[in-house]
Amino acid sequence: MADKTSEIKQSFMAELEAVNEISQLEAIKVKYLGKNGLITELMKDMKSLTPEEKKSFGQAVNVLKNEVSEIIAEKTEELKHKAILEEINKMQDFDISTPANTERGSYHPITLVQRQCEAIFKSMGFTVEEYSEVVTDYECFEALNIPKHHPARDMQDTYYLENGQLLKSHTSATQNAIYKKYKDNLVNNGVPIKAIFPGRCFRNEATDACHENTFFQMEGVMVDKNISISNLIFFMKTMLSEVFKKDIKVRLRPGFFPFVEPGFELDISCLICGGEGCPSCKHSGWLELCPCGMIHPEVLKAGEIDPEEYTGFAFGLGLTRLAMMKYGVKDIRDLNSGNLKSLSQFTDDE
Ligand code: PHE
């Protein structure tokens, strides 16, 4: 009987020699240790043995079983290790003398215009603020004097989350947070609030050459004692002339927004058609670029600023529209297209 166990051990070791892959090892494992495997079968032979023989044979079979299991486990580890090394070698199989790809990426035209505007406003003492794209109904509407069911909400239909929050439909949604952030400095230290906050905005829009569901604005506010419309006009003219590097033709029309009083639409002459009229300017020769106005007293109050003592202006610059004007992009949809052919041709090397 003892011969049988050493015979099996020998044949097992011989077969193991030839194993190169995990699948082969699996087959051997079944052959020897499986339900009907050779070692398992040995146990069945015990019936015919005396109790004495049973004891020593049983022990021998157990030792063999443990040895074989251990050897198989070791071999499994070894084969796994080998497979990993082979993978690594394959990965290293490239030509290190191949020249590097020296093609550089480029900034998106909106990023270029945004950075430029930020630099101009920073030079005039404005801080640049960041704010989230998901805001509350209060921030986007209520705090801006747009109560529930106000018709002004129709134009700003946007995307709502299940928790009641929404994707901001305009950068004005940041105003309330900015007033609250700086009001103490204004009141206690007499430091005017001068801030811009660029951001991505969303609206439920049918898209065409001049409308997109995702676009960029840059809001600006200034609050202090005795701020008037002439301050607003000065800052807007300075900024636009800097951006376009020439004196830009602008016009102010009255415009209604519940959060400013009085409110205006600041238009610039269309740079694509030079004022002749084209699809980008809806054939009017003018482009609506920057709604603006004096901050409504209710909005200041919501921002915990006393409207009896302080006044301010706010503007909502259409960054997307500005980029189209500056770079002569005819269709707004190109800007979100991810088409590198059209997007990578702009630089800010002026
Ligand atoms: N938030 C307004 C809009 O997107 C624009 C605006 C901003 C108007 C600031 C006045 C003052 O329609």
Side-chain angles (χ1 to χ4, degrees):
M1 280 308 227
D3 288 351
K4 249 189 168 172
T5 52
S6 59
E7 231 173 68
I8 289 181
K9 171 101 188 266
Q10 263 176 14
S11 72
F12 169 75
M13 292 309 285
E15 283 190 52
L16 195 74
E17 279 284 294
V19 164
N20 281 318
E21 282 174 28
I22 296 267
S23 58
Q24 292 170 315
L25 193 63
E26 288 292 328
I28 290 187
K29 189 175 174 183
V30 172
K31 181 173 172 186
Y32 286 87
L33 297 173
K35 241 191 185 170
N36 301 313
L38 293 174
I39 296 176
T40 324
E41 290 289 316
L42 275 183
M43 293 291 190
K44 292 177 190 161
D45 295 343
M46 295 221 291
K47 276 180 231 150
S48 55
L49 300 177
T50 64
E52 273 297 290
E53 285 170 330
K54 262 186 195 164
K55 195 178 169 200
S56 65
F57 183 67
Q59 270 174 356
V61 173
N62 262 337
V63 169
L64 175 65
K65 199 174 154 189
N66 290 341
E67 267 180 4
V68 167
S69 305
E70 246 173 62
I71 293 172
I72 289 179
E74 273 170 26
K75 190 77 180 173
T76 308
E77 281 308 304
E78 189 189 311
L79 289 178
K80 276 189 191 162
H81 191 66
K82 207 174 110 198
I84 292 173
L85 283 182
E86 274 169 15
E87 271 306 303
I88 292 174
N89 281 338
K90 258 192 241 159
M91 288 193 314
Q92 281 171 350
D93 195 14
F94 64 87
D95 181 1
I96 56 164
S97 63
T98 310
N101 182 359
T102 50
E103 214 174 290
R104 294 255 199 103
S106 61
Y107 285 116
H108 191 280
I110 293 177
T111 308
L112 293 175
V113 171
Q114 179 181 325
R115 288 182 166 204
Q116 218 179 350
C117 292
E118 282 177 12
I120 296 165
F121 276 101
K122 268 194 214 163
S123 76
M124 297 191 285
F126 283 72
T127 60
V128 181
E129 309 286 336
E130 294 226 20
Y131 206 65
S132 74
E133 287 168 3
V134 177
V135 296
T136 59
D137 184 275
Y138 178 79
E139 291 172 309
C140 202
F141 300 120
E142 299 271 337
L144 292 167
N145 204 24
I146 312 175
K148 290 215 162 42
H149 311 300
H150 191 290
R153 288 197 180 206
D154 283 355
M155 289 185 315
Q156 306 225 1
D157 189 18
T158 179
Y159 303 92
Y160 287 79
L161 308 186
E162 273 168 10
N163 65 6
Q165 289 188 315
L166 46 111
L167 299 187
K168 69 172 174 238
S169 56
H170 53 172
T171 42
S172 305
T174 313
Q175 281 192 24
N176 190 256
I178 298 300
Y179 299 143
K180 287 176 178 160
K181 179 175 172 186
Y182 289 114
K183 66 175 167 53
D184 289 339
N185 208 18
L186 170 73
V187 175
N188 301 335
N189 307 323
V191 179
I193 300 176
K194 288 166 87 178
I196 54 166
F197 19 105
R200 196 196 308 261
C201 302
F202 306 85
R203 281 189 204 175
N204 182 5
E205 288 276 7
T207 58
D208 60 28
C210 37
H211 294 89
E212 251 292 12
N213 52 26
T214 306
F215 54 96
F216 289 79
Q217 291 186 336
M218 195 180 80
E219 189 100 350
V221 293
M222 176 167 183
V223 182
D224 199 1
K225 288 184 174 156
N226 303 319
I227 296 292
S228 72
I229 297 168
S230 49
N231 296 105
L232 169 67
I233 294 172
F234 166 79
F235 280 107
M236 296 320 296
K237 272 216 108 177
T238 310
M239 193 272 300
L240 290 169
S241 309
E242 285 279 327
V243 169
F244 292 104
K245 306 280 175 221
K246 60 178 172 186
D247 232 5
I248 285 296
K249 238 188 1 188
V250 299
R251 71 175 187 189
L252 273 185
R253 290 178 287 124
F256 173 73
F257 302 92
F259 37 94
V260 284
E261 179 57 36
F264 307 103
E265 292 281 4
L266 185 143
D267 300 341
I268 65 170
S269 57
C270 179
L271 300 178
I272 289 178
C273 62
E276 297 274 300
C278 69
S280 292
C281 61
K282 293 185 197 145
H283 304 281
S284 71
W286 292 94
L287 257 209
E288 246 178 65
L289 185 67
C290 187
C292 51
M294 300 306 292
I295 301 164
H296 197 287
E298 288 302 323
V299 174
L300 286 175
K301 259 194 237 164
E304 295 164 10
I305 292 172
D306 180 3
E308 297 292 327
E309 234 185 296
Y310 297 96
T311 50
F313 66 76
F315 60 85
L317 185 65
L319 271 188
T320 300
R321 213 150 265 188
L322 192 59
M324 289 173 74
M325 293 271 81
K326 187 173 158 91
Y327 294 114
V329 177
K330 293 202 175 69
D331 192 322
I332 190 171
R333 291 165 293 194
D334 287 341
L335 293 172
N336 286 354
S337 71
N339 178 353
L340 291 182
K341 247 192 198 156
S342 51
L343 294 177
S344 61
Q345 53 186 311
F346 310 105
T347 57
D348 58 354
D349 50 13
E350 298 138 32

